[in-house]
Amino acid sequence: MSETFCPNYYISPELKVIYGLLYPQLNFEEFLARSHSAITEPFYVGFYDLSIEAQKLEPDLELRQLLYYLKPAADFRAYPEFLKVLRRMVTVLIESGIDLTSLAIPFESLLKTAQKIEQAVQRNYETTSLSTLFPQFRPQVMSDLKARNGGRYYTSNPMYKHGCSSFPLYSIALNNMRWPETESDSEMKEYRATDNCNALLIAAIYLCANERRLTPISQDRDPRTLDRENLHRNPYTFLLQDPKRAPDCSKLCDIDRKIRVQSQSWPDLSQKKRRKLEYIINRPYSELVRVSALLFINPIFNEPIINTGVADLKLLLQFFSETRKVHGSSGKGGGSGGSSVSSAGNHTWEIPPQFITQEEDLYGNIVEVYRLPQAPISKERIKELEELGEDPYEDEYDEPPIEVLFMADGKSSQLKLDKHTSHTQLLLASKNQDLSWNRLTPTHEEMEAFLSFIRSQPGIAPQILWMVAILAIDLDMALSLEICPEQEWDWLRGQSRFKIGGTNDTLRACSITGHTNLFEVWVYPIPVHALNHHANIDASTRYQSHIGAIAFTDFSGVAKKLIDKQLSSGPLLGPVPAFSNQEKIDITQQCKELIKEFNRQQNGGVKLTAGKRNISLEKIRQYSKSYLLNLGFDSLLVDALDWKVPDSRKPALHYYTSHLWQKPKHGKWGLQYYLANRTALLEHCTVQPLPGIKNHTIFATGLVKPEIVKDYVLTLHQKIATCPEAIDSKGELVQFVQAMNAYSQYMAFWFCLETSHRPHHVPFGDVFQIDPLHGFIKLKDKSDAEGNKFRLAWLSEALRFQMYEYAYTIDTLVSWARQQDIEVKSDLLIFLEFDQNSSKHLRIKPLDSSYFAKQIGDELQVEANFYRKLLSDLLREGPDPVSPEDVDRWLGHWMTGTAPFHLFTSASPLSLVTRMQNKIQSVISSLGFHAFEFRLPNLAYDLDDSEKGSI
């Protein structure tokens, strides 16, 4: 029997038409065949949540996301009806108080795309042509007679017998409930409640199906099955696959059949049973998963004979709470039967996949780390922090998480209760004991043996492992390598910022011509942990010049082999991926097998090397990173070069800057030369074919030139100096307002710069809260408006004096203003505005973070928190540089204790101040800040009527 529906996306005429309507300038075949994304953001980030620049890189990403997450039928059957369900899902989720940005599916973004599709089809196709191209795009109008005979507003699932087994998720969404026979208020109220419950259930099924699709696959499965499932899981390969063979398809079909039957009889269920089911479903998704797991433990589900209603419920509960097997932990033999007690290593799947990371124990075994999600950051808060120049996720990095560790070959899981340990203790434990499993590096002898083993192996996989070793990168970055056309010798000078086309976030290799001999270089992308819109600053009167990649010579011969491999297929016209998707899958498996084989040989041929000392990919990377550390490069620079840096280090890196010419303690060459030397790992290298490279700034962008700040501080001083002794005219009043506002801005600027105070709330501190003995003050700049977290900061004697002077000045000014016809809304900082309704023509307002940020933007044309990056840079420069660790703490990372003395003396704020105070004072004075006395003018003034109107 021939199919009456379109079975696949890649042959769908409807999808091709939709693509042409949405993107008339793009190619549909290229959309189907595309193998990777041009956007660096994770795929689950909604298209409309991306920046405009990112959207332009891949404008059809919105359609790909819709197809990947919602799985509509390839012929878009009954699409408007599905759109109504999707709209209802989004509405109900929002009404339930759920933050949609915390979910693993970008529902709001998908709804916008879905609506755009419907509008495009309706706008471009007449009703007569829709019946053949878009089946049931406009549902048939049912006569009153048919409506009465078939039950009021009865609608069956339009997908039934039209591909529901190929697109079960889509079919589940179209399972309409039968309307009540009558439309009494009570029945309609119950129907709406049930309809909302149904929408939540469908949303939960979509979320669970997406998580199951992203669940790590056990490597013990058949390789062909793994390859097939990976193709379905990949958002850039699933379009060319048969939907019927997708993972979980049969299970979803079973759920679809059950819901299709139940949806028609749902109104006829007893109220007691209906309320119990709604009580289970009508809750946040994470709670639904947890409750499903608890209910599924009930012994009733182990009975051989259970009634139909319980069997239907069992299917749903099993879908939401089904256990997943951690790699290698499943028992041997046996079928689907047996004990219902889960074996060791099986854990309930409750946590969204974006919180999963893989690490290694000290023996090189994989450890899956499940980080419990924290409260999501609102879009408004993210936008506010980005405008200020802050890292929106800094608090997540600094906050010790609750983690559950699943050992690959272990018999139990381990809960890390870091949440109940102080930040300072965690810092000291990590620094003094170095217990983290991914910080152990192999010995020189172990690496020498491993590299000797790799040299003896044929094929591409050994070359990839060489790349991991010499570049200290992970396997994913190595396999994302692009081969580029030959470049001229002058290009290597860095004048063109090492651009070859495309973005600078991909590892590349190319040959260099125009020198004595042809040679190869790596073009390593520099991870930028600051804001994207500052990432390509080259020539600026205000910002330091930045570069997005660093090029260095390859002495290993690996780059030449990979370039020759690509050239064997023809000349290069632009950057070309070195490996296809299938090659990446094959090489990854081959690399893992090579490492296993080496570990077996090192451990006397034992196949299972758990508990032995093993080489692993992470240890290989750590060995290469240690090369730079042993030379004397600071650890923060080495971390900043790493695309896989731990979360605990990321807050500091957001403000870290360096130069390509930076030299280590134990060497005379710049950074790029030692990166080149590292490519000759364990071998002697003397030749350095590298020209003089322009000394670009790398890492945190948004670094302002100090001259700009000095000029600004001088301007503030000049404005303050214009304050008159008395106010007898309009001009003197204007001078006073200008001087007073400049004084307030000067105090905010000085305070923020010296203490690294984040400009989140009031950019100032209360002078009466300063510890008079040690000069400490509590800051709440990492808190919300209520201030539930704080840190200690130290104030120089000059700043303390000026704060007392300022507090006395505004106290006098506010006291006088309250006795006059002047509106007063004061705070720690104030500014003056002209007010025609006041007899004194003034009003006093609080100077908050938004005003401070606006002044910085208007007068300096830089981001509001630029001083944190500037201070970080200046403290590490000059004749008396400060260590990266001390700068990190001065910026407010890890320093959350409140007592001036601490059990761990090495973490005492007093010892930190002792090391920092001289450098802080020299940096502050070099920028032009100094203490002075400010005198208010005679405030007993009154302008005559002729001058009032011109204020």
Side-chain angles (χ1 to χ4, degrees), residues 453-510:
F453 169 77
I454 290 300
R455 287 194 191 97
S456 66
Q457 303 299 313
I460 294 295
Q463 307 300 322
I464 298 303
L465 290 175
W466 265 105
M467 288 175 60
V468 172
I470 65 179
L471 302 178
I473 58 179
D474 63 5
L475 204 55
D476 290 339
M477 178 171 277
L479 293 173
S480 69
L481 173 70
E482 290 184 350
I483 306 299
C484 300
E486 293 180 349
Q487 302 296 318
E488 294 292 334
W489 172 259
D490 287 339
W491 170 86
L492 194 53
R493 294 181 181 275
Q495 304 299 323
S496 60
R497 297 164 50 79
F498 305 122
K499 284 189 175 181
I500 314 175
T503 59
N504 267 346
D505 56 0
T506 303
L507 178 66
R508 288 165 169 172
C510 65

Side-chain angles (χ1 to χ4, degrees), residues 37 39-47 49-50 61 65 69 106 235-236 354 393:
S37 176
I39 300 174
T40 57
E41 294 290 335
F43 185 77
Y44 58 80
V45 176
F47 178 79
D49 296 324
L50 299 171
L61 177 68
Q65 287 183 327
Y69 286 116
Y236 286 87
Q354 59 263 39
Y393 301 98

Side-chain angles (χ1 to χ4, degrees), residues 745-758:
Q745 187 73 2
Y746 179 81
M747 293 306 304
F749 193 11
W750 187 354
F751 183 86
C752 287
L753 183 66
E754 183 168 310
T755 65
S756 268
H757 187 285
R758 299 167 179 84

Side-chain angles (χ1 to χ4, degrees), residues 483 561-573 576-580 583:
I483 306 299
K561 291 179 182 178
L562 296 174
I563 291 172
D564 290 345
K565 172 183 175 289
Q566 198 65 43
L567 288 175
S568 64
S569 302
L572 298 175
L573 302 178
V576 176
F579 309 105
S580 66
E583 284 179 318

Side-chain angles (χ1 to χ4, degrees), residues 363-392:
Y363 300 113
N365 298 319
I366 293 297
V367 178
E368 285 191 331
V369 181
Y370 289 68
R371 175 169 294 183
L372 300 188
Q374 299 175 339
I377 308 174
S378 67
K379 292 181 180 179
E380 293 75 16
R381 180 63 172 162
I382 291 177
K383 182 178 179 182
E384 175 190 356
L385 291 175
E386 286 185 342
E387 288 177 349
L388 292 173
E390 293 288 298
D391 180 358

Side-chain angles (χ1 to χ4, degrees), residues 867-894:
Y867 49 83
R868 285 172 59 80
K869 294 169 187 173
L870 177 64
L871 186 67
S872 172
D873 189 63
L874 294 177
L875 289 175
R876 289 181 289 104
E877 290 187 345
D880 188 23
V882 178
S883 71
E885 290 77 11
D886 282 347
V887 175
D888 186 11
R889 292 181 62 197
W890 200 265
L891 290 174
H893 306 299
W894 291 100

Side-chain angles (χ1 to χ4, degrees), residues 691-742:
I693 294 179
K694 186 178 179 182
N695 190 23
H696 288 286
T697 303
I698 55 178
F699 305 125
T701 56
L703 178 62
V704 174
K705 296 178 179 179
E707 294 74 17
I708 303 299
V709 180
K710 294 177 185 178
D711 292 342
Y712 180 56
V713 174
L714 179 60
T715 301
L716 291 177
H717 275 298
Q718 292 170 346
K719 289 181 179 179
I720 295 171
T722 62
C723 185
E725 295 183 0
I727 303 176
D728 297 318
S729 66
K730 178 195 69 174
E732 290 172 336
L733 177 61
V734 171
Q735 285 180 345
F736 168 62
V737 170
Q738 174 182 272
M740 191 65 221
N741 288 347

